[in-house]
Amino acid sequence: MYGKWIILAGGLFNVFCAAFLVGAFSYSGLVYALMLKLAFTAVVLYLHRRFEDRDAVFFYINLGLSRMRLMAATLSMDFGLLLLLEILVALCR
């Protein structure tokens, strides 16, 4: 699974943000969570690119998938989960 560490780290961050927002909800907190998520994702992407096994990605390239499309799908799932958690927290408040 390409990007499993990105999804794992992003999921932990999402759960932490949701737990924090449940405890101290504010609409500005939703915006701050998104801004922190962008910075956190930039750091995770840098570390992923720095320590990525270059031979492992060729398996997916040989299947006809591009690296950019795989990364876009991984990041969209990660940000989609954050958006879903923020919507659930806002609706439950």
Side-chain angles (χ1 to χ4, degrees):
M1 182 174 156
Y2 184 79
K4 65 182 172 184
W5 297 113
I6 295 172
I7 292 175
L8 179 65
L12 289 174
F13 183 83
N14 293 343
V15 169
F16 175 75
C17 281
F20 180 74
L21 287 171
V22 166
F25 181 76
S26 69
Y27 288 107
S28 63
L30 297 173
V31 175
Y32 288 137
L34 182 63
M35 290 181 355
L36 287 173
K37 177 69 176 179
L38 290 173
F40 180 78
T41 302
V43 171
V44 169
L45 285 178
Y46 171 75
L47 292 174
H48 174 72
R49 180 66 84 171
R50 186 80 174 136
F51 297 111
E52 180 181 38
D53 183 18
R54 293 182 181 211
D55 294 334
V57 77
F58 287 114
F59 172 76
Y60 298 103
I61 292 172
N62 287 336
L63 291 176
L65 302 171
S66 70
R67 179 181 286 180
M68 292 297 288
R69 183 171 286 172
L70 287 169
M71 190 59 66
T74 302
L75 292 177
S76 65
M77 285 190 304
D78 188 24
F79 276 92
L81 180 62
L82 178 66
L83 181 64
L84 179 69
L85 287 173
E86 285 186 350
I87 289 171
L88 287 175
V89 167
L91 289 176
C92 290
R93 283 310 233 172

